[in-house]
């Protein structure tokens, strides 16, 4: 079940219900690669149709405008898959995927991916749930970009990165908080706007920066700001 880089596919969410034997066959069918931060994994409009599994590290789904403006669609964390759309419909890649930091990726041909889904109903169901989750997240992001101010989008993204904790929850830590530039790409704004709003939230006692982490101190206070901003739109 281990690949060339000593990593296991067991960390991939859609494989959690597969037998060890099925997982071993999958691992042997994969090609394994490592990437450095900023390195391109999948080019935009590429005509390949392999599917990828992020075994270790993180990556981002990106598009760049002709003027160089970056738009981040989602962050891919360890245990997720990407490239599945092209593996299903064989159309060119709809976005670029690049490594955020060092990562290990297992790649499977589209034909093998579809065959395993037919042979393993649990995998088919897991892929379906994954696709539904992506649609729901993109729907929420489109709504946010269309209706919320930049300030409120920043606040809402902080809450999302914190795991959307319930009201009254204790302070929580967002480990490895994105750089201001990366965060700006997530909410379709510029770095200066993120810097200003984080500074304002820190002065209000809502958040505190600790090294590379961001501590969300007042969850209810942040929720109240988001609700007020949403109502004002």
């Amino acid at each position: 079940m281990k690949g060339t880089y000593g990593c296991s596919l067991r960390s991939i969410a859609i494989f959690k219900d597969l037998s060890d034997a099925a997982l071993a066959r999958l691992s042997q069918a994969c090609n394994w690669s490592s990437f450095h931060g900023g390195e391109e994994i999948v080019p935009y409009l590429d005509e390949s149709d392999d599917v990828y599994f992020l075994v270790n590290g993180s990556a981002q789904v990106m598009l760049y405008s002709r003027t160089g403006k970056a738009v981040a669609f989602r962050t891919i964390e360890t245990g997720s898959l990407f490239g599945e759309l092209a593996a299903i419909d064989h159309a060119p890649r709809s976005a670029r995927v690049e490594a955020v930091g060092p990562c290990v990726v297992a790649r499977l041909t589209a034909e093998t991916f579809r065959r395993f889904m037919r042979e393993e109903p649990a995998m088919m169901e897991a892929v379906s749930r994954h696709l539904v989750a992506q649609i729901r997240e993109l729907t929420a992001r489109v709504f946010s970009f269309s209706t919320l101010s930049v300030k409120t989008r920043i606040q809402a993204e902080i809450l999302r990165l914190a795991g959307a904790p319930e009201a009254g929850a204790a302070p929580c830590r967002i480990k490895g908080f994105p750089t201001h530039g990366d965060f700006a790409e997530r909410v379709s704004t510029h770095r200066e706007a993120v810097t200003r709003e984080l500074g304002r939230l820190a002065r209000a006692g809502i958040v505190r920066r600790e090294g590379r982490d961001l501590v969300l101190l007042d969850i209810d206070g942040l929720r109240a700001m988001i609700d007020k901003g949403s109502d004002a739109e």
Side-chain angles (χ1 to χ4, degrees):
M1 289 182 289
K2 295 203 172 189
T4 304
Y5 293 83
C7 298
S8 172
L9 289 179
R10 186 58 76 186
S11 65
I12 307 301
I14 67 167
F15 299 150
K16 69 175 185 177
D17 294 325
L18 293 187
S19 67
D20 287 346
L23 204 60
R25 288 191 293 117
L26 260 174
S27 184
Q28 291 171 1
C30 286
N31 290 310
W32 297 71
S33 304
S34 62
F35 296 87
H36 301 292
E39 192 173 355
E40 183 177 72
I41 302 174
V42 181
Y44 173 51
L45 295 180
D46 187 64
E47 295 187 356
S48 66
D49 59 4
D50 292 349
V51 64
Y52 296 77
F53 309 104
L54 190 59
V55 180
N56 189 31
S58 61
Q60 278 191 321
V61 182
M62 308 285 299
L63 275 180
Y64 292 89
S65 70
R66 291 183 178 180
T67 60
K69 177 177 173 58
V71 178
F73 286 88
R74 71 182 177 104
T75 299
I76 306 166
E77 302 292 355
T78 297
S80 192
L81 75 157
F82 58 96
E84 70 279 7
L85 300 184
I88 293 171
D89 66 6
H90 305 293
R93 305 290 183 177
S94 57
R96 162 192 169 105
V97 179
E98 60 185 49
V100 173
C103 60
V104 175
V105 172
R107 188 175 80 251
L108 193 66
T109 66
E111 180 181 357
T112 304
F113 177 67
R114 293 194 304 273
R115 175 167 56 82
F116 267 94
M117 284 199 295
R118 290 192 298 268
E119 295 175 352
E120 300 288 342
M123 180 174 165
M124 175 71 81
E125 292 180 8
V127 171
S128 298
R129 289 193 298 270
H130 164 80
L131 293 173
V132 169
Q134 295 306 312
I135 293 171
R136 291 186 185 279
E137 180 177 346
L138 288 174
T139 299
R141 285 171 63 87
V142 170
F143 179 79
S144 172
F145 291 166
S146 301
T147 61
L148 302 181
S149 67
V150 170
K151 181 172 66 176
T152 308
R153 293 204 304 269
I154 293 170
Q155 296 164 0
E157 182 66 9
I158 292 172
L159 191 66
R160 190 191 71 82
L161 288 174
E166 297 293 333
C172 61
R173 179 180 297 271
I174 304 172
K175 294 185 176 181
F177 192 77
T179 66
H180 292 189
D182 288 343
F183 192 98
E185 292 169 3
R186 292 169 180 258
V187 296
S188 191
T189 187
H190 50 84
R191 181 175 57 187
E192 291 76 13
V194 174
T195 300
R196 283 197 302 269
E197 182 58 18
L198 287 175
R200 190 178 75 88
L201 293 175
R203 290 190 297 273
I206 302 294
V207 301
R208 181 177 65 236
R209 197 65 187 258
E210 294 184 358
R212 296 186 58 191
D213 300 345
L214 187 77
V215 180
L216 179 49
L217 301 168
D218 187 353
I219 293 169
D220 291 348
L222 183 62
R223 284 189 180 278
M225 286 182 174
I226 295 169
D227 290 342
K228 183 178 180 181
S230 299
D231 292 341
E233 295 302 314

